[in-house]
Amino acid sequence: MDLSAFILEHENDDTAALVLARDRWPETDVALAAECIQARRKLKSKVPGWYADPRIICPSALSAEQCSSTATADYKAALAAKILRLAGKNPGESRIADLTGGLGVDAWSFSAVAGKVLYNEMNPLLVSAAKGNFPLLGRDNISFSELRIDASSLPGLLDGFRPDLVYIDPARRGEGGRKVFMPEDCTPDVLGLQDTILERGIPLMLKLSPMADISLMIRKFHNVKELHAVQADGECKELLLVLEPGFAGDPAVMAVDTGSTEPRVMGFDLSRMASAKGRFMGSSPLPGQTLFEPGPALSKCGAFNLVSDLLDIPLLGPDAHYYCIPGNDGDKEVFRTLEGLGKWYSVIDAAPFGNASVKGFASRWPDAEATARALPLTSEALRVKMKLRGGGLTHIFALGTAAGRLLIAAERYSPDLR
């Protein structure tokens, strides 16, 4: 049976059972089919355009787990086009080299904005799949290479393909498959290769672990112009570093949400982040006022005080990282600026944190969710202490604030931006 047909016929089956029963299908590589089925399951919501075509072969479940989603890949493609335009180039006539092709989702998105894309991948199984997949996806401007990227192979590749932009997503797996976060522990060694690229006048885009420390990454790499913390599906999925040859200015740090039709981006100057003082609320929030909880990308950027300064909204405390919008004519502008970058809550009640308020709030909202911040108490411990069942519309926050330890009950809502 054709591999694609077998995958489609058995895509809901137990893959372990399929492999054990492989003798029933001697003409089919059942182990490969089982791996492809697992990969397709991961791609169903992550890259639905690929999942929709059963002819697309994804031979590695691990690669499917690690690959970019459609939303994050498209964001990188849009960022690549911006980098090329700022360099005075027409993206549609430019060349992008993806040196760590993997499953090919990023190269696929790059090929929609660039004239020519080089997909380089040292795993021959992934290269073979990509060569079959890209034509099915309508991409005919992608060339292929199977080099192991290192100090000896990179110069020849760059001089041969002559890219206008290089993209690298190093493998973050060490010995024994353990996850690594530092760039020097990844493959290829992007720290050692950056100068080979930059000295040729080529901008470099790097995808790093979302666990990496922003300030440390900016210090480790050269000519860092921008760092993008990109969130999708409620998580910070990746950090993107943009290295521009000769750039010596203040790097910009971007919080990005890819969850809507158009990505939401809020940018900060690194020097202003360091000098921002923030404003802290010395009183308890009142019913009807709004709490804003920064999302993962905004939190990753760490610009808590600067957001307070820029939007003139107070933080509840230096460590709680929640903002209170008291209510004024500028609310809608604040809401628009922060749209997509966090959660909004309408305050129902607030009281000093103590046994009486804990008991009272628990009796009034037994189905509430719970969060504890800036207190010697975890969110789970708070839930247990209050004997909350969860699943309700109300959220109870226990926060260490500038006004003391507070218990706040609030409900999620979406601001009217009209």
Side-chain angles (χ1 to χ4, degrees), residues 271-333:
S271 60
R272 292 192 66 185
M273 284 172 55
S275 62
K277 302 298 183 183
R279 178 163 64 89
F280 302 103
M281 192 166 174
S283 59
S284 177
L286 299 174
Q289 293 183 336
T290 298
L291 291 187
F292 176 73
E293 177 185 61
L298 201 54
S299 296
K300 184 66 183 179
C301 291
F304 302 109
N305 289 352
L306 184 53
V307 169
S308 172
D309 289 346
L310 290 174
L311 300 182
D312 192 27
I313 53 176
L315 282 155
L316 291 186
D319 300 313
H321 300 155
Y322 284 78
Y323 301 87
C324 182
I325 293 90
N328 55 56
D329 292 339
D331 282 1
K332 287 192 176 180
E333 189 57 39

Side-chain angles (χ1 to χ4, degrees), residues 142-389:
I142 302 175
S143 57
F144 300 89
S145 170
E146 298 182 44
L147 285 178
R148 176 178 290 275
I149 301 298
D150 55 28
S152 61
S153 65
L154 182 57
L157 182 147
L158 295 176
D159 295 340
F161 183 67
R162 295 177 290 105
D164 299 295
L165 174 68
V166 169
Y167 170 73
I168 303 178
D169 174 12
R172 292 181 287 278
R173 295 278 176 173
E175 294 181 3
R178 66 182 179 88
K179 291 185 178 181
V180 296
F181 306 112
M182 299 302 288
E184 56 266 36
D185 296 328
C186 297
T187 304
D189 174 13
V190 288
L191 278 178
L193 298 177
Q194 59 179 323
D195 288 340
T196 303
I197 298 167
L198 294 171
E199 67 189 10
R200 285 169 166 74
I202 305 171
L204 172 60
M205 185 195 304
L206 296 172
K207 176 180 171 181
L208 302 178
S209 166
M211 301 296 292
D213 179 83
I214 287 178
S215 298
L216 181 60
M217 294 304 101
I218 289 175
R219 292 197 300 270
K220 279 182 173 287
F221 287 97
H222 305 158
N223 309 121
V224 177
K225 183 178 183 182
E226 296 177 355
L227 187 146
H228 300 243
V230 183
Q231 74 180 32
D233 301 322
E235 296 180 36
C236 185
K237 296 292 188 180
E238 56 196 49
L239 295 183
L240 301 175
L241 242 63
V242 177
L243 280 56
E244 182 178 288
F247 182 79
D250 190 31
V253 178
M254 313 285 191
V256 182
D257 173 66
T258 61
S260 55
T261 305
E262 291 293 327
R264 301 292 306 172
V265 182
M266 187 174 186
F268 312 97
D269 292 334
L270 193 64
S271 60
R272 292 192 66 185
M273 284 172 55
S275 62
K277 302 298 183 183
R279 178 163 64 89
F280 302 103
M281 192 166 174
S283 59
S284 177
L286 299 174
Q289 293 183 336
T290 298
L291 291 187
F292 176 73
E293 177 185 61
L298 201 54
S299 296
K300 184 66 183 179
C301 291
F304 302 109
N305 289 352
L306 184 53
V307 169
S308 172
D309 289 346
L310 290 174
L311 300 182
D312 192 27
I313 53 176
L315 282 155
L316 291 186
D319 300 313
H321 300 155
Y322 284 78
Y323 301 87
C324 182
I325 293 90
N328 55 56
D329 292 339
D331 282 1
K332 287 192 176 180
E333 189 57 39
V334 171
F335 295 154
R336 291 188 186 99
T337 302
L338 296 173
E339 183 184 4
L341 295 173
K343 297 177 181 178
W344 301 95
Y345 295 87
S346 179
V347 175
I348 302 171
D349 199 0
F353 181 83
N355 290 334
S357 60
V358 165
K359 183 177 180 180
F361 278 42
S363 65
R364 291 169 66 187
W365 299 288
D367 296 322
E369 302 291 344
T371 297
R373 293 284 187 273
L375 289 176
L377 180 74
T378 66
S379 298
E380 176 60 18
L382 176 63
R383 186 190 67 79
V384 171
K385 181 181 179 69
M386 301 185 74
K387 300 178 181 178
L388 299 175
R389 295 189 292 264

